[in-house]
């Protein structure tokens, strides 16, 4: 009887631990983009690197969602005003039409782009990555009171 009781205790403990970890994973899910449209303008792979240029449009009130980039990013704002925030919830820049923008690479450069204006933000962005790498990696909201 003690063996059965011990087995039941182990099963209940493991089930509780799994349920707890699933609950934690749900709260750490990525924040989605809202009102973002992107189209590829050009794409090439040269010497093991992808060079992809996109036109990205963020609708008024839209957001890219929290994310980071494995590769290098260079862009220019063509229309509207982009508000760019770091994971510490600070605004690292407000970029108007004509302004260049670049972003750091790696998981320690989580950020979000937001359109707080009344007209669409339109950007042309060049991504330089290792061939086949993702252009961006989704991240959860780090606790900022905005998305």
């Amino acid at each position: 009887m003690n063996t059965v009781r011990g087995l039941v205790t182990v099963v209940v403990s493991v089930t509780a631990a799994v349920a707890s970890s699933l609950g934690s994973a749900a709260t750490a899910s990525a924040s989605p983009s809202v009102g973002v449209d992107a189209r590829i303008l050009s794409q090439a792979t040269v010497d093991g690197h992808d060079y992809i240029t996109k036109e990205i449009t963020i609708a008024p009130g839209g957001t890219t969602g929290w994310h980071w980039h494995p590769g290098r990013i260079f862009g220019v704002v063509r229309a509207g005003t982009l508000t760019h925030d770091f994971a510490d919830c600070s605004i690292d820049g407000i970029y108007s039409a004509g302004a260049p923008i670049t972003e750091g690479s790696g998981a320690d450069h989580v950020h979000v782009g937001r359109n707080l204006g009344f007209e669409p933000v339109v950007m042309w962005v060049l991504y330089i990555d290792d061939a086949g790498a993702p252009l961006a990696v989704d991240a959860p909201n780090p606790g900022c009171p905005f998305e």
Side-chain angles (χ1 to χ4, degrees):
M1 187 67 154
N2 285 339
T3 304
V4 171
R5 187 177 310 202
L7 182 58
V8 168
T9 301
V10 169
V11 169
V12 169
S13 297
V14 169
T15 302
V18 168
S20 174
S21 70
L22 289 175
S24 297
T27 59
S29 64
S31 65
S33 64
V34 175
V36 176
D37 182 55
R39 67 184 180 100
I40 295 175
L41 299 176
S42 67
Q43 182 173 350
T45 301
V46 178
D47 294 330
H49 289 91
D50 288 336
Y51 296 84
I52 300 171
T53 304
K54 285 188 168 187
E55 179 178 80
I56 300 171
T57 303
I58 306 172
T63 174
T64 62
W66 291 94
H67 64 281
W68 57 274
H69 301 282
R72 294 177 289 165
I73 306 296
F74 303 95
V76 63
V77 176
R78 306 276 299 156
T81 301
L82 177 72
T83 301
H84 195 271
D85 303 276
F86 283 141
D88 66 0
C89 306
S90 67
I91 294 175
D92 97 304
I94 297 176
Y95 303 91
S96 298
I101 184 169
T102 186
E103 298 173 340
S105 301
D108 56 338
H109 292 282
V110 172
H111 59 275
V112 66
R114 302 182 292 147
N115 181 353
L116 304 179
F118 297 104
E119 66 177 284
V121 169
V122 179
M123 299 180 292
W124 286 351
V125 179
L126 169 64
Y127 299 84
I128 303 173
D129 286 301
D130 291 338
L135 301 182
V137 176
D138 292 337
N141 181 326
C144 299
F146 52 84
E147 199 46 42

